[in-house]
Amino acid sequence: MKKILVVCGPTASGKTGFAVRMAKSFGGEVISADCMLVYRGFDIGTAKPTPAEMDGVPHHMIDIVGAGETFSASDYEAMAKPVCERLLSENMLPVICGGTGFYIQSLLFSRSLGHVGSSADVRQKYERVATEEGNESLYARLCKIDPRSAEKLHPNDVRRVIRALEIYELTGRRKSDQQDGFVARYPYVAVAFDYPRSELYARIDRRVDRMLECGLVREVQNLLSSGVSDAAQSMQGIGYKEVVQYLKNEISYSTMRDIIKQNSRNYAKRQITFFKKFPDIIWLDPHAEGNAATVREMLER
């Protein structure tokens, strides 16, 4: 079976450009794995690739969800997996590109959810909690009883959060104590750029400045004016929630800018921690000239 290429890593590390280069070089298409690029109308604050940046390469999983809708890793898996398998069947290279680790994980691996039976009553109870109290409230329950499982899940990955709660309720044992595992669905090569931390942070700061210069505040104003709630899942993204605070006169413009930069740097640290544990990932020197050749060698093994 032809391998899949994964271009992942922290924000502002040059994933998009490299993924497009690889797709053009090896005859492939890009499948975005970014939890914010799925939303229509969220362009500036997400650094959504422009047609020029896509350079004629088809991109999938971008602009597929309305601004006020919710979207989870399970939703991503259900939509991205058929695209990936179609490309493989057509002997094309799927290039997974993004920094949302849980999305990439859901696509590349099938996962045992615990060798424990299920209970429709228990699941329905927690589904009601999610509906009536919100995903964050449901997730908070898991954080209290099984923090190790919680740190591996996103609050909006409701199906897996419920499963972890269900396992605890049925057995009295945490899901993190169960013998679960990840099984790769496809052969893959995963790469990320290993920037010195200070250089990565400088890249992040410059990106935030560009976003603000390009009209991020105006973008958020337009979204709110169109009826998108500031409580929507999409509005909790870095850059958007801080602008909302500014528009509400809760913080100054300069404070807003500084907080976006700091939150972006913190997010990059979490991404690096996640991907450092990613199976068989190859960390590339971002300044090396032979990265494309390295990827080609790995894909052809």
Side-chain angles (χ1 to χ4, degrees), residues 89-108:
S89 71
E90 295 174 357
N91 203 34
M92 299 182 70
L93 176 68
V95 181
I96 314 302
C97 176
T100 303
F102 294 121
Y103 279 19
I104 297 172
Q105 199 175 67
S106 73
L107 178 58
L108 288 186

Side-chain angles (χ1 to χ4, degrees), residues 195-266:
Y195 279 95
R197 197 63 62 93
S198 60
E199 185 176 354
L200 177 64
Y201 288 174
R203 289 173 63 90
I204 288 171
D205 288 350
R206 289 195 298 270
R207 172 180 277 189
V208 171
D209 288 335
R210 287 197 303 271
M211 287 175 174
L212 291 168
E213 290 167 4
C214 289
L216 176 57
V217 173
R218 183 170 60 254
E219 178 172 273
V220 176
Q221 287 174 318
N222 291 340
L223 287 165
L224 294 172
S225 297
S226 71
V228 180
S229 169
D230 61 14
Q233 176 182 318
S234 55
M235 280 293 188
Q236 308 317 304
I238 296 172
Y240 292 89
K241 60 185 177 183
E242 295 87 355
V243 172
V244 168
Q245 288 182 284
Y246 165 67
L247 292 173
K248 289 182 174 180
N249 295 317
E250 295 175 358
I251 54 177
S252 68
Y253 184 91
S254 61
T255 299
M256 172 198 71
R257 180 194 59 219
D258 293 344
I259 293 175
I260 294 174
K261 290 180 179 180
Q262 184 61 59
N263 287 344
S264 298
R265 293 192 294 265
N266 291 342

Side-chain angles (χ1 to χ4, degrees), residues 111-117 163 167 175 178-180:
R111 183 177 183 183
S112 163
L113 292 180
H115 304 288
V116 177
R163 179 55 176 161
I167 287 171
K175 179 181 178 298
Q178 306 288 327
Q179 295 300 313
D180 292 349

Side-chain angles (χ1 to χ4, degrees), residues 30-80:
V30 173
I31 302 175
S32 170
D34 186 296
C35 63
M36 289 301 294
L37 293 190
V38 300
Y39 292 107
R40 291 187 289 272
F42 286 69
D43 303 328
I44 298 172
T46 62
K48 189 172 290 179
T50 64
E53 290 168 331
M54 292 181 184
D55 198 15
V57 174
H59 282 58
H60 305 274
M61 303 302 292
I62 294 177
D63 289 339
I64 57 172
V65 181
E69 298 180 53
T70 59
F71 197 77
S72 70
S74 299
D75 297 322
Y76 177 83
E77 177 187 351
M79 295 182 70

